[in-house]
Amino acid sequence: MRITISVFLLFFLLSVVLSLGDPIVTCSGIVPRKHRSKMLSISDFGAVGDGKTLNTNAFNSAIDWIRKTNTSDGTLLYVPRGVYLTESFKLTSHMTLYLANGVVIKAVQDTKKWPLIDPLPSYGRGRERPGQRYISFIHGDGLTDVVITGKNGTIDGQGEPWWNMWRHGTLKFTRPNLIEFKNSSNIVVSHVVLQNSPFWTVHPVYCSNVVVHHVTILAPTDSPNTDGIDPDSCSNVCIEDAYISTGDDLVAVKSGWDEYGIAYNRPSRDITIRRITGSSPFAGIAIGSETSGGVQNITVENITLYNSGIGIHIKTNIGRGGSIQGIKISGVHMEKVRTGIKISGDTGDHPDDKFNPSALPVVRGITIKNIWGIKVERAGTVQGLKDSPFTNLCFSNVTLTGTKGSPIWKCSDVVGSTVKVNPTPCPELTATAQQGGTCENQT
Ligand SMILES: *[C@@H]1O[C@H](CO)[C@@H](O)[C@H](O)[C@H]1NC(C)=O
Ligand SMILES: *[C@@H]1O[C@H](CO)[C@@H](O)[C@H](O)[C@H]1NC(C)=O
Ligand SMILES: *[C@@H]1O[C@H](CO)[C@@H](O)[C@H](O)[C@H]1NC(C)=O
Ligand SMILES: *[C@@H]1O[C@H](CO)[C@@H](O)[C@H](O)[C@H]1NC(C)=O
Ligand SMILES: *[C@@H]1O[C@H](CO)[C@@H](O)[C@H](O)[C@H]1NC(C)=O
Ligand SMILES: *[C@@H]1O[C@H](CO)[C@@H](O)[C@H](O)[C@H]1NC(C)=O
């Protein structure tokens, strides 16, 4: 009797759940949820949120305490309302940095005293300047189980002096990222505002199991190279529900630079990017241009872009090597963009003149469907390499209006198919007739 009732109840609950329609898919499951039983307040370590006091020692001693104590389910470091000026600091494993509502953690603007760290092996040098690079404002290296969250508090890189050094050509080393996790796993960044990064905003590199969601990322349109989120040689990454408006690509998947990235050989793979809204003078969603370790199995869905340079940009170059495969992009809405879709084999600079010009990238298996755009000046540019044509490209249900001038589509050294694409695509993309009218069965 009891069993029948339970079974009945189970079916009842199941049908209720099903009748609610498709639940929104989320990043849950990528990083185990943690309940921190221990909590500390940064105030207990002498922090003063008056916008003037330098709080570097408070952050360092609180985090040292967490590192040494290492409680079994980790420690939450609470930052109460206030404006906290600090130099860069390093996180530790098994911790949550929690920003209450009304918190601003502000980076000092003294660029001369900013610490330097080694370049990434997959880049062989700093991305902007040879040699070392400045450490990120908030840094994690070799960590696991770290969360940065709260009630929409702000982490402000105050990047202006760094942008000016770039503009005036006076940068000695590569600018700092706002948040970098290197060689780390089980990382979550959520419910925070990240603004005015000196360089890329969130940079997970050599990481696995990373979630970035419910974040707002802001930087002025003219701030140089302020990418939003750049997973770099990472796997199992989920990025969703973000508003991003910066001076460069909103999300860019990378995996190392030319001969250094080829030698390091660490791909970016198994990455989901969904429900991102925003505007960029460059690309909304990008893959590249540093893709030397390869980029595989990337799913991009439900993206809304406006006032942007390029909607979707897959970019690589000779000397990069690496393969870009299994990219599925669907549900992109764009308004007022210069180029809707760009796939290019001639984009990006080289670390030095030691790159191997015959290390050609392989680009195959790119599916782009359900794309809708208005006020799109140029529908698309799809240009592979003569000695390594881009293959198995499939575009379906793509409608881009507002194109002016010609060519509307520009294609070379590519092979692919199209179904229901407006305006009419170039002949290179109509090589094969697609069965069933979709891009399914693409590899
Ligand atoms: C810290 O605690 C975690 C979780 O209990 C444990 O897995 C890890 O080995 C500990 N680390 C050190 C350095 O004691
Ligand atoms: C990565 O971090 C782990 C600790 O999580 C450490 O044991 C390992 O040496 C690090 N690897 C590199 C290449 O830094
Ligand atoms: C968080 O703050 C940003 C910037 O002030 C704001 O645009 C956004 O709506 C806020 N998000 C939430 C969930 O309150
Ligand atoms: C592709 O990546 C998704 C996560 O984005 C993952 O769930 C799936 O298992 C991956 N597929 C393969 C074949 O590795
Ligand atoms: C698409 O994103 C919008 C907001 O960004 C959201 O309201 C909608 O539910 C999303 N749809 C799906 C299928 O994820
Ligand atoms: C075509 O794409 C648009 C825009 O994303 C979408 O609203 C529509 O449902 C798609 N049509 C089909 C048949 O999938």
Side-chain angles (χ1 to χ4, degrees), residues 152 193 216 218:
N152 213 27
V193 180
T216 304
L218 307 169

Side-chain angles (χ1 to χ4, degrees), residues 34 66-74 93-94 144-145:
K34 280 293 169 83
I66 297 171
R67 184 183 298 112
K68 285 178 190 137
T69 316
N70 192 32
T71 57
S72 63
D73 42 14
S93 293
H94 310 295
T144 188
D145 179 24

